[in-house]
Amino acid sequence: MPPKDPLSIRCFNPSCPNTVTQVKKSGRPRQYCSEACGKAYRKNRDVRSAQVSRDQAAYTREVADEVARQVAVCLGAARTCDPLTALRQVVQAEKNFGDLKDALVQQARHQGMKSACIAEAMSISPYKLSRGMSTPSVTRRIENRYKARNSETALPLPSRTTPPPAPSQATAPRFPSGRSFPPTPAPTSPVSNEASTPAEEAKPADTLARALTHLQRTSDKTLRALAGESGVSASYVSRILSGGRCPSWKITQQIALSCRADPAELKPLWDAARGHPIVQADTFHPALRGLHLAASCPEPDTIRRLSHNALTVDEITMLLHGQQVPDWQVVRHFVGALRGRPETVRPLWKAARHAALAVQPTESTASASVGSASETL
């Protein structure tokens, strides 16, 4: 019986340039050029799989921690009868719950769990799981989340401790899918003057555009849908979100309402972008929340790190959710960490400070009057 013709194929090890000669015969055909090459590939594959598992676990914990913090803030706001703050946290938590679901589905698939079991845990059909949460789409959403979180650069401020060094390319963090993403830009030298240099600060028009972009992204509305609700074209909305056009207040207000946001938080940003003077005392806290919105609503602990530990978590929480007017140094560090312009916020802080001090003598006088009346009785 004549021998069968051999077949040459590429070695299954992607890093190996050799070919494998396969002879058609009974048994399993050769896949690697040598036994050592096959062992090396399988060993590296196991190492990569273990690294991906660690990355997925770290990512899942990160998202779960964000959800837990937002739920805690929401509970606190609900107990203090602050519905707007609670609603903002609910909206953010809903988006993070979606990210957490993607992370858990990807983690379950990597551990070899069957699609039927994953679908049963989610109370959906396997067909709906494969259509709505395919592996490429889940991976793409997770990578977009990382890109969105790392697109904002931090503004360096005077620090209480030495800032950590920037991660090198060799130790750069990785996507849960196994691919590495660009390291965070290294912080420049801390500034020591009252306000940062203009090159390090975002322009007022750019700050407004970033706030509107964050609203559009978190609302899951397309440009066409947002344009239809705002009464303008989709191309005009695109220019607004890119910072190419500064919209009128009517359009800005409509975009905020369409995205279920509070227009009052955008009004100080819009006034600054238009160059309008704003010194009203009641615009101080909305202006701070607007900067927080433009920075994609980072958590208090993230803002603390961006300020190089110049602020505490309690100080940041008080500025975001309270009505107190702290010292200017606290406000300046907070504004700088969010890439705002301290000189724009300082007049608002002064007006709010004077209003707060004007209330104190009145309260003291009222207390004295009550005391005198008690003594007379």
Side-chain angles (χ1 to χ4, degrees), residues 202-210 212 240 243 245-249 252 266-278 291 341 344:
K203 296 180 181 178
D206 294 337
T207 302
L208 175 63
R210 286 192 289 117
L212 295 175
I240 291 174
R245 295 295 297 270
C246 184
S248 64
W249 170 241
T252 303
L266 294 174
K267 188 63 165 65
L269 302 182
W270 182 83
D271 285 330
R274 288 279 183 169
H276 298 167
I278 43 177
L291 289 175
R341 292 193 170 189
T344 302

Side-chain angles (χ1 to χ4, degrees), residues 29-363:
R30 292 182 59 192
Q31 296 179 335
Y32 303 97
C33 60
S34 65
E35 186 65 25
C37 183
K39 288 183 178 179
Y41 171 71
R42 288 189 291 270
K43 180 179 179 180
N44 291 335
R45 182 185 59 190
D46 295 339
V47 171
R48 288 194 301 270
S49 179
Q51 180 62 44
V52 170
S53 297
R54 289 192 294 269
D55 292 339
Q56 288 177 343
Y59 172 77
T60 304
R61 287 194 300 270
E62 173 189 335
V63 181
D65 289 342
E66 286 189 14
V67 172
R69 285 193 294 268
Q70 288 166 346
V71 171
V73 174
C74 181
L75 288 175
R79 289 167 181 165
T80 57
C81 298
D82 189 355
L84 294 181
T85 299
L87 285 173
R88 281 191 289 267
Q89 294 301 320
V90 167
V91 172
Q92 290 296 317
E94 286 177 346
K95 180 180 181 299
N96 283 329
F97 267 121
D99 294 334
L100 181 59
K101 184 165 63 175
D102 287 340
L104 293 173
V105 168
Q106 188 187 51
Q107 193 175 32
R109 283 171 172 163
H110 184 74
Q111 292 177 5
M113 299 181 183
K114 296 182 178 180
S115 297
C117 299
I118 300 174
E120 181 182 1
M122 298 175 64
S123 299
I124 60 176
S125 65
Y127 174 78
K128 188 175 181 180
L129 175 66
S130 62
R131 294 284 294 178
M133 303 190 70
S134 63
T135 300
S137 63
V138 170
T139 302
R140 184 170 57 252
R141 285 196 293 267
I142 291 177
E143 293 180 356
N144 290 337
R145 171 188 171 89
Y146 264 114
K147 292 176 183 177
R149 288 171 62 88
N150 290 276
S151 61
E152 301 293 336
T153 57
L155 175 66
L157 291 169
S159 58
R160 294 173 183 169
T161 59
T162 303
S168 61
Q169 186 66 30
T171 60
R174 304 179 66 83
F175 286 123
S177 60
R179 284 176 280 177
S180 61
F181 60 87
T184 304
T188 56
S189 57
V191 295
S192 58
N193 52 343
E194 175 73 2
S196 304
T197 59
E200 296 172 333
E201 300 165 349
K203 296 180 181 178
D206 294 337
T207 302
L208 175 63
R210 286 192 289 117
L212 295 175
T213 300
H214 177 71
L215 290 179
Q216 185 267 334
R217 185 171 62 244
T218 55
S219 67
D220 293 330
K221 286 184 178 291
T222 63
L223 293 181
R224 188 180 298 275
L226 193 61
E229 296 176 1
S230 303
V232 294
S233 65
S235 60
Y236 186 70
V237 173
S238 177
R239 290 196 296 270
I240 291 174
L241 300 184
S242 64
R245 295 295 297 270
C246 184
S248 64
W249 170 241
K250 181 179 179 180
I251 296 177
T252 303
Q253 187 178 26
Q254 187 57 49
I255 292 177
L257 294 175
S258 299
C259 297
R260 298 180 180 180
D262 186 4
E265 297 181 356
L266 294 174
K267 188 63 165 65
L269 302 182
W270 182 83
D271 285 330
R274 288 279 183 169
H276 298 167
I278 43 177
V279 293
Q280 294 86 351
D282 57 352
T283 59
F284 171 64
H285 287 94
L288 298 183
R289 288 191 285 268
L291 289 175
H292 184 243
L293 182 67
S296 300
C297 297
E299 294 296 327
D301 191 60
T302 302
I303 301 176
R304 177 189 62 79
R305 292 196 299 270
L306 292 177
S307 71
H308 293 179
N309 297 322
L311 299 173
T312 64
V313 173
D314 291 338
E315 290 172 338
I316 296 168
T317 304
M318 177 189 64
L319 285 172
L320 289 175
H321 308 297
Q323 294 298 325
Q324 297 87 349
V325 184
D327 294 337
W328 169 242
Q329 291 300 322
V330 175
V331 178
R332 182 174 70 86
H333 292 322
F334 178 84
V335 174
L338 299 181
R339 297 184 62 198
R341 292 193 170 189
E343 67 272 14
T344 302
V345 180
R346 190 178 179 92
L348 306 182
W349 171 82
K350 286 184 177 180
R353 190 78 165 182
H354 289 324
L357 294 176
V359 174
Q360 294 179 0
T362 304
E363 294 177 350

